């Protein structure tokens, strides 16, 4: 298949050959007539024909001398070169990697982002295979140069860490190719995270379901008449359905919060009120394990722009974990405070044990200078080993799984806290020393006094 450029080039060549013939034939006829009429001598006529032929030949080879064609002046006067210089300017102005490959297979022009993508210093003038070391992209470049049909090629770059998409289009010159590279890494990671999430969620749901199905089979088959063992089976079945209920409710919370994460809350609430009411509701759970659950620093005049239910869920998840992972007779302390800046709040929220290792699980989006309110939940439980700290808040990440504990959980509680705090432009951090307990801290910007409260959502 011939490209538009190849056809154009062939057409121009035929046109010039025709001009050349017309010029030579008409000049020779004219000079012949002059010689015949005696106006010119034979040798003078012959010399004139030779000079004319040479002139016409120069015209055929190129309309201007080579040095003249390469000069910037000639670039301006030639439409094709003006187009080429526009392509060069465009490439340098583009905010993503782009290059233009000439018909000789060399990089005619490339922008700074190309050097970063392919980790090379010099691009212009180099052979395309030296710069673009991606076999699939190189093969596509050849095809586009040949056929003129645009193509898109995906490839992994930067040691397989990044996914890029090359968009190849025929350039303005014959057999030239224009390539723009699009970074698809974020989209690729999000797709992988979604696939992992679905796989994990299905796995977590299948485990209790398989157990339930197994017990039903046993009760209908071998243990049909063994009514005494039924109580034990029913107890386990009850636990498994409970586990499924928790999982489904956590999954629903997570998807609801993710859905609204980019919409900032617009209600002003008193942080102390949410805190005290949620902690009161958790007292019976603490009493069941003889854990002393106390609140300090409670203040009712600290306002935050927040969603009541979501902040209540943050407190419930953090205090719930502290109660769950602390041994019987332990201590859980919930502290509330304010600070002149978000930076200070981040430290205050996890400063209970000076020897603890600290990890920030969510950096706040709010300005570091904004006045802040913070909540800290500390326990006297087993604590969390240093290597796990930074991974807390990942969906389905459970420390107990690796230490073989039998405490029930979904591994979604902290992920929910993290998403809620992200929606509130706040932060989340953990500090822990093994065997001495753990502290989880959240902080968010305070609602400025004097600013009208937005309408309730
Ligand atoms: P889970 O449903 O498993 O509790 P979370 O997301 O709430 O899920 O917590 C993730 C993991 O972090 C837990 O499995 C647990 O290993 C660890 N963890 C959370 N809070 C505490 C705590 N207060 N003390 C010790 N370990 C904790």
């Amino acid at each position: 298949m011939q490209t538009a450029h190849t056809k154009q080039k062939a057409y121009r060549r035929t046109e010039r050959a025709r001009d050349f013939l017309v010029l030579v034939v008409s000049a020779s006829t004219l000079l012949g007539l002059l010689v015949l009429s005696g106006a010119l001598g034979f040798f003078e006529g012959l010399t004139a024909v030779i000079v004319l032929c040479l002139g016409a030949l120069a015209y055929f080879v190129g309309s201007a001398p080579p040095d003249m064609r390469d000069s910037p002046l000639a670039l301006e006067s030639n439409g094709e070169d003006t187009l080429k210089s526009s392509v060069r300017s465009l490439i340098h102005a583009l905010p993503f990697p782009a290059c233009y490959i000439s018909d000789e297979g060399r990089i005619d022009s490339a922008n700074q982002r190309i050097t970063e993508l392919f980790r090379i210093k010099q691009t212009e003038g180099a052979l395309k295979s030296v710069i673009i070391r991606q076999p699939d992209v190189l093969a596509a470049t050849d095809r586009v140069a040949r056929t003129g049909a645009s193509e898109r090629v995906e490839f992994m770059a930067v040691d397989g860490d990044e996914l890029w998409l090359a968009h190849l289009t025929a350039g303005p010159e014959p057999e030239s190719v224009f390539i723009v590279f699009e970074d698809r890494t974020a989209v690729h990671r999000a797709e992988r995270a979604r696939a992992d999430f679905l796989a994990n969620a299905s796995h977590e749901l299948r485990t209790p379901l398989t157990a339930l199905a197994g017990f039903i089979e046993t009760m209908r088959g071998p243990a049909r008449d063994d009514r005494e063992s039924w109580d034990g089976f029913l107890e386990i079945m009850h636990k498994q359905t409970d586990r499924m209920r928790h999982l489904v409710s956590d999954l629903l919370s997570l998807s609801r919060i993710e859905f609204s994460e980019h919409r900032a809350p617009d209600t002003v609430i008193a942080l102390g009120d949410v805190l005290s009411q949620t902690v009161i509701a958790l007292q019976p759970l603490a009493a069941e394990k003889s854990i002393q659950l106390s609140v300090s620093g409670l203040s009712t005049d600290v306002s935050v722009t927040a969603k009541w239910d979501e902040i209540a869920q943050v407190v419930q998840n953090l205090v719930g974990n502290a109660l769950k992972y602390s041994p019987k007779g332990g201590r859980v302390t919930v502290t509330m405070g304010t600070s002149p800046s978000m930076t200070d709040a981040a430290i205050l929220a996890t400063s209970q044990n000076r020897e603890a290792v600290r990890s920030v699980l969510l950096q706040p989006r709010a300005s570091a200078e904004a006045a802040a309110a913070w909540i800290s939940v500390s326990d006297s439980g087993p604590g969390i080993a240093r290597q796990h700290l930074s991974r807390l808040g990942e969906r389905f990440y459970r420390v107990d799984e690796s230490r073989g504990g039998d405490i029930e959980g979904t591994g979604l509680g902290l992920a929910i806290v993290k998403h809620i705090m992200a929606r509130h432009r706040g932060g989340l951090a953990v500090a822990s020393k093994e065997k001495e307990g753990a502290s989880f801290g959240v902080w968010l910007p305070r609602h400025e006094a004097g600013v009208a409260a937005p309408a309730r959502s």
Side-chain angles (χ1 to χ4, degrees):
M1 204 177 102
Q2 258 192 328
T3 67
H5 292 301
T6 320
K7 280 184 197 159
Q8 208 179 9
K9 200 174 176 183
Y11 172 75
R12 248 187 265 132
R13 213 177 284 137
T14 325
E15 207 177 30
R16 286 221 296 259
R18 191 197 58 210
D19 290 352
F20 170 66
L21 273 175
V22 169
L23 201 70
V24 168
V25 171
S26 45
S28 306
T29 315
L30 182 71
L31 287 168
L33 285 172
L34 287 173
V35 171
L36 283 178
S37 67
L40 271 179
F42 177 74
F43 286 107
E44 287 163 317
L46 192 64
T47 315
V49 169
I50 292 169
V51 169
L52 261 168
C53 286
L54 285 175
L57 196 64
Y59 166 77
F60 179 65
V61 171
S63 45
D67 53 345
M68 182 67 177
R69 265 183 289 139
D70 288 343
S71 79
L73 210 70
L75 274 180
E76 288 307 313
S77 62
N78 183 319
E80 198 170 274
D81 285 339
T82 308
L83 191 59
K84 197 163 144 184
S85 75
S86 305
V87 169
R88 285 179 183 154
S89 310
L90 177 73
I91 283 172
H92 288 286
L94 284 172
F96 22 75
C99 66
Y100 178 55
I101 298 171
S102 71
D103 57 349
E104 293 160 355
R106 288 185 183 274
I107 308 283
D108 178 280
S109 41
N111 61 12
Q112 175 68 24
R113 296 279 284 115
I114 281 278
T115 59
E116 291 159 17
L117 172 61
F118 293 111
R119 294 180 172 175
I120 24 114
K121 285 201 179 93
Q122 187 60 38
T123 49
E124 289 180 10
L127 272 175
K128 65 181 180 198
S129 52
V130 176
I131 309 297
I132 307 167
R133 294 175 301 265
Q134 298 294 334
D136 291 350
V137 180
L138 286 172
T141 310
D142 292 338
R143 281 195 301 275
V144 174
R146 219 175 38 246
T147 66
S150 301
E151 285 198 30
R152 295 200 299 176
V153 181
E154 250 183 10
F155 65 96
M156 298 301 292
V158 192
D159 306 327
D161 273 354
E162 295 181 359
L163 180 82
W164 287 80
L165 181 64
H167 298 262
L168 300 100
T169 320
E173 288 184 307
E175 288 164 42
S176 66
V177 181
F178 180 54
I179 316 181
V180 176
F181 296 88
E182 181 191 350
D183 190 352
R184 307 268 304 163
T185 315
V187 180
H188 177 60
R189 285 197 187 135
E191 277 166 7
R192 208 169 48 191
R194 197 171 305 131
D196 286 351
F197 175 68
L198 269 177
N200 278 326
S202 323
H203 172 79
E204 293 292 327
L205 279 169
R206 210 174 38 212
T207 313
L209 263 179
T210 312
L212 279 176
F215 281 113
I216 292 170
E217 282 291 295
T218 313
M219 288 166 82
R220 291 168 81 185
R224 191 187 194 100
D225 302 316
D226 182 8
R227 297 279 155 155
E228 276 173 25
S229 60
W230 277 32
D231 276 352
F233 292 155
L234 286 170
E235 180 58 33
I236 303 171
M237 288 166 83
H238 177 69
K239 270 197 178 155
Q240 295 299 335
T241 36
D242 231 31
R243 184 174 164 189
M244 272 193 342
R245 204 159 42 84
H246 275 128
L247 189 66
V248 171
S249 121
D250 278 358
L251 284 170
L252 285 174
S253 298
L254 198 60
S255 90
R256 208 173 36 237
I257 292 151
E258 276 187 330
F259 183 70
S260 62
E261 195 171 323
H262 302 289
R263 265 183 293 130
D266 54 9
T267 44
V268 176
I269 59 168
L271 190 63
D273 289 350
V274 193
L275 194 59
S276 62
Q277 289 188 27
T278 316
V279 173
I280 288 171
L282 287 165
Q283 285 294 0
L285 205 63
E288 261 178 41
K289 279 183 86 176
S290 314
I291 291 175
Q292 189 194 328
L293 173 59
S294 58
V295 185
S296 68
L298 206 66
S299 156
T300 46
D301 58 9
V302 177
S303 301
V304 287
T305 308
K307 194 128 176 102
W308 178 288
D309 296 349
E310 292 185 4
I311 297 298
Q313 181 150 27
V314 165
V315 177
Q316 193 174 317
N317 287 9
L318 295 182
V319 178
N321 274 352
L323 296 173
K324 187 163 71 172
Y325 295 104
S326 290
K328 273 195 166 168
R331 236 180 23 261
V332 172
T333 313
V334 184
T335 317
M336 179 185 151
T338 57
S339 105
S341 73
M342 291 285 282
T343 318
D344 290 346
I347 297 161
L348 291 167
T350 47
S351 62
Q352 278 69 17
N353 185 346
R354 298 216 172 268
E355 287 170 30
V357 182
R358 192 167 165 276
S359 178
V360 175
L361 306 176
L362 171 71
Q363 285 288 358
R365 272 187 296 127
S367 153
E369 279 85 46
W374 55 268
I375 296 171
S376 160
V377 179
S378 305
D379 62 60
S380 57
I384 304 157
R386 172 193 288 261
Q387 71 269 22
H388 296 292
L389 291 180
S390 62
R391 295 204 58 192
L392 297 175
E394 283 178 22
R395 297 152 166 183
F396 298 107
Y397 189 80
R398 299 202 71 217
V399 177
D400 299 280
E401 225 89 298
S402 55
R403 63 183 179 208
D406 57 359
I407 301 172
E408 285 293 332
T410 59
L412 292 173
L414 290 177
I416 292 171
V417 170
K418 193 169 162 180
H419 281 285
I420 293 178
M421 292 317 295
R423 187 184 176 199
H424 288 78
R425 302 192 301 135
L428 167 68
V430 57
S432 179
K433 185 162 186 232
E434 258 190 297
K435 301 195 177 70
E436 290 187 20
S439 284
F440 284 85
V442 290
W443 62 103
L444 71 167
R446 276 183 80 166
H447 175 71
E448 285 173 48
V451 175
R456 258 196 96 86
S457 61

